[in-house]
Amino acid sequence: MPVPIPRQRAIPAAESGQAQGAFSPGGPSGEATGGPAGAVPAPQAATTPVDSTTNLTLLVIEDDPAGSLSVPEMLDAAGKPIRIRTARNLTEAERLLTDDVHCILLDLALPALGRAATQSDDELTTLKHVLRLAPRHAVLALTASGDAERGAEAVRVGAQDYLFRDELDGRLLSRAIRYAVERKRSDKAERRLTESRLRAQENARLERGLLPTPLLEGSSLRFAARYRPGRSRALLGGDFYDTVRTPDGTVHAMIGDVCGHGPDEAALGVELRIAWRALTFAGLCGDELLSTLQQVLEHERENDEIFATLCTVDIAPDGRRAGLCLAGHPSPLISRPGRPAELLPYENGGPALGLLPGARWPRRQVELGGEWSLMLYTDGLIEGHIGEGKERLGQDGMVDLVRRRLAEGLAGEELLRATVNEVRDLNGGELTDDVAVLLLDRTP
C-alpha cells in the first residue's frame, strides 16, 4: 500500500517567540491541513535559490505518536511565512524532498530506516542517511533538552546546527533555518572554490607536462615559445613541442600537432613529446626516430583515425647547419641578416604519423649560416581567417607578417607575442585551433 503524501501549508505567523497557533503534525498518514505537497523529485535535486520572491520551505522529519512535537509559526527574513512539510519516516521524506525545500529539521529520535533503535545502533544513523539523501540541503538536528553532546556530534557528522526539542519557538527556529540555509550555501561556495583550486593545480601540473622546460645547458642558442590552446577556458591542447641538447653538442627541436584539440589529444601529445625526448637522448634521429614515434602513436591512440603531424630539427654543434624532417607538418621559417625571412625547403617530406604503415621520412640537410632565427609553428598559426571572409592567412601571409615584425626590430619573446596577437586580431577574435610557436636564435 503506497504511503500517503503529507500536505503542506504556509503559516502566517509573527516572529514573536511564541506560537499563536502551534502546528502539530496530523495523524499516522502524516497529513496537515493546507494545499497539496507537489511533485516527487529526484533525491539529489538542487534546492531552489532563495530570493525576495521565494518562500522558505522546511521539511520536518519526526515520528512522535504522542504528538508532543509542535513546530511554531514562523516568518523568514523578508516577512514571508515559512512553509512546513512533515514526514513520519524516511520513505515519506524522500518523496517530499522536492526542489523547493531549503532546510530539513530532523528529530534524532527517529528510528533508523523504520527499525526500532537498539543499543548497538549508531544514534546518528538516521542523520547520516538523510545527509546522503539530501547532500545539497541544509539540515537541522533536533535533540532532547540538555543533550548538547549529541547535538554537537550531529554537527560534526554534517548537520548545520542543532536545537533542543522543548525549546522550540518561532523566533529561534526561523533564525536557525535562515542560518542553516546560509551556512550550507557558504559551505557549497567554499567547496566549489576548493575544487576549482585543485583543478587549477592539476591543470598546472598537466601544463608542465605539455610545455616543458628546454634542456639547452651549454648551448649558445636562445629559446622562446608561445602556446595558446584552442579550447575555451583550457590550458591544454593537442599541440606539443620540446627542445634538448644531447652530450655531443647537437640541439634537437621538434613541434607537433595531434589532430583535434580536446583533453584526449592533449594527453596523446604529452606522450609523444616524452617519447621523443627519451628517443632523442637514446641517440635516435630522422627516419628511425619518427618510425618509432609512429609505433607509439599507433599503440596509444583511441582509434585508427587519429594522426599527428611533426617537424624535427637537429642543429649541428657549430650551429651552421641542421637536419630537417617533416611528417605532414608545415616547414619552419628562417630569417637571416640581409635576407628576407623565408620557409625552409619542404619538398620530399613524409606523411603525418599514423596515416601510412611502413612510411618513410627522409632527413634533409639545410645550411643555416652564422646568424639566424628559426621559427617552428603549428598550423593553428596559419589557418586563422583574414577578416570576416573565408580567406585564411596561410603560410605566405604568415611570412609577410613576420617580415614586417622583424623590420620593426622585434626578436625573441616580443616577436612571438606580436605575431600571435596579430594573427588573432586578423581572425577577428580567438583562434579555434591550438597554436604553438617555438623560436631558436643564434647570434655570434
Side-chain angles (χ1 to χ4, degrees):
M1 178 178 179
V3 179
I5 300 178
R7 307 170 76 85
Q8 68 181 40
R9 68 170 184 174
I11 304 178
E15 189 176 344
S16 61
Q18 298 294 330
Q20 297 300 318
F23 172 75
S24 296
S29 67
E31 293 187 356
T33 58
V40 179
Q44 294 190 10
T47 56
T48 303
V50 181
D51 56 35
S52 59
T53 62
T54 304
N55 290 76
L56 283 172
T57 300
L58 174 69
L59 175 61
V60 180
I61 308 176
E62 63 88 23
D63 184 15
D64 184 13
S68 59
L69 175 61
S70 295
V71 179
E73 303 167 327
M74 295 171 290
L75 293 177
D76 62 18
K80 297 178 179 293
I82 295 179
R83 298 178 298 185
I84 298 175
R85 297 178 187 172
T86 60
R88 295 295 191 184
N89 52 53
L90 295 180
T91 301
E92 287 187 11
E94 184 172 351
R95 299 181 64 188
L96 289 174
L97 195 60
T98 51
D99 292 355
D100 59 344
V101 171
H102 301 95
C103 185
I104 298 171
L105 178 64
L106 172 67
D107 187 356
L108 295 181
L110 184 73
L113 301 176
R115 297 181 288 108
T118 66
Q119 291 294 334
S120 60
D121 284 334
D122 180 357
E123 290 185 338
L124 300 175
T125 297
T126 304
L127 173 60
K128 294 174 182 177
H129 184 83
V130 169
L131 293 173
R132 288 193 298 269
L133 183 69
R136 298 178 178 87
H137 292 73
V139 177
L140 289 170
L142 194 62
T143 187
S145 178
D147 197 355
E149 182 176 349
R150 193 180 189 194
E153 182 63 24
V155 173
R156 284 193 290 271
V157 168
Q160 274 60 59
D161 203 350
Y162 69 91
L163 299 168
F164 295 131
R165 188 179 294 107
D166 59 354
E167 295 182 4
L168 288 182
D169 61 52
R171 186 187 304 276
L172 174 64
L173 184 54
S174 60
R175 185 171 64 246
I177 292 171
R178 295 197 301 269
Y179 167 77
V181 169
E182 291 303 321
R183 181 174 178 181
K184 186 67 175 181
R185 182 183 300 168
S186 175
D187 290 344
K188 289 180 184 177
E190 184 175 355
R191 184 170 61 252
R192 285 194 296 267
L193 179 60
T194 300
E195 292 172 352
S196 177
R197 287 172 177 168
L198 291 175
R199 283 195 299 270
Q201 292 171 3
E202 180 181 358
N203 287 341
R205 289 193 295 269
L206 292 174
E207 185 180 28
R208 169 64 185 87
L210 182 64
L211 307 176
T213 301
L215 301 180
L216 291 174
E217 184 177 357
S219 173
S220 61
L221 300 183
R222 293 183 302 173
F223 170 90
R226 297 285 289 178
Y227 186 83
R228 184 188 295 271
R231 286 187 299 141
S232 175
R233 301 178 63 185
L235 294 175
L236 306 173
D239 291 2
F240 55 99
Y241 64 84
D242 204 352
T243 306
V244 299
R245 181 177 183 267
T246 48
D248 64 357
T250 303
V251 172
H252 304 262
M254 73 89 169
I255 196 164
D257 181 4
V258 178
C259 65
H261 43 264
D264 293 334
E265 290 77 12
L268 182 56
V270 172
E271 292 180 90
L272 292 175
R273 181 194 65 75
I274 294 174
W276 176 88
R277 176 175 281 202
L279 294 170
T280 298
F281 279 124
L284 277 66
C285 69
D287 179 77
E288 186 180 12
L289 186 150
L290 292 176
S291 296
T292 308
L293 279 181
Q294 174 157 281
Q295 295 179 41
V296 174
L297 172 65
E298 290 171 347
H299 286 293
E300 297 297 331
R301 65 186 176 182
E302 289 189 346
N303 59 71
D304 294 341
E305 296 181 356
I306 301 296
F307 63 90
T309 66
L310 197 69
C311 168
T312 67
V313 177
D314 51 280
I315 302 169
D318 64 6
R320 302 186 67 87
R321 60 191 182 280
L324 172 66
C325 285
L326 297 175
H329 200 88
S331 184
L333 180 146
I334 187 169
S335 62
R336 291 168 280 209
R339 300 171 60 177
E342 59 183 349
L343 299 175
L344 289 178
Y346 49 84
E347 299 83 3
N348 301 321
L353 303 181
L355 290 183
L356 299 176
R360 284 288 174 270
W361 294 272
R363 178 178 177 272
R364 179 164 187 158
Q365 191 77 11
V366 294
E367 295 296 325
L368 301 178
E371 184 176 353
W372 46 264
S373 291
L374 189 64
M375 190 175 83
L376 285 65
Y377 54 93
T378 57
D379 59 7
L381 188 68
I382 60 178
E383 291 188 347
H385 290 90
I386 301 177
E388 298 180 357
K390 296 183 179 180
E391 184 181 358
R392 298 185 182 273
L393 178 64
Q395 285 183 290
D396 291 339
M398 182 213 49
V399 172
D400 291 340
L401 189 158
V402 173
R403 285 176 178 174
R404 285 190 284 104
R405 294 300 185 179
L406 289 170
E408 296 172 1
L410 299 183
E413 288 278 1
E414 290 185 353
L415 174 63
L416 295 187
R417 185 183 304 108
T419 299
V420 173
N421 288 343
E422 184 171 349
V423 170
R424 181 192 59 193
D425 293 342
L426 290 172
N427 187 63
E430 291 295 342
L431 300 164
T432 57
D433 198 3
D434 307 323
V435 176
V437 192
L438 182 156
L439 188 68
L440 289 170
D441 293 318
R442 182 177 189 266
T443 302

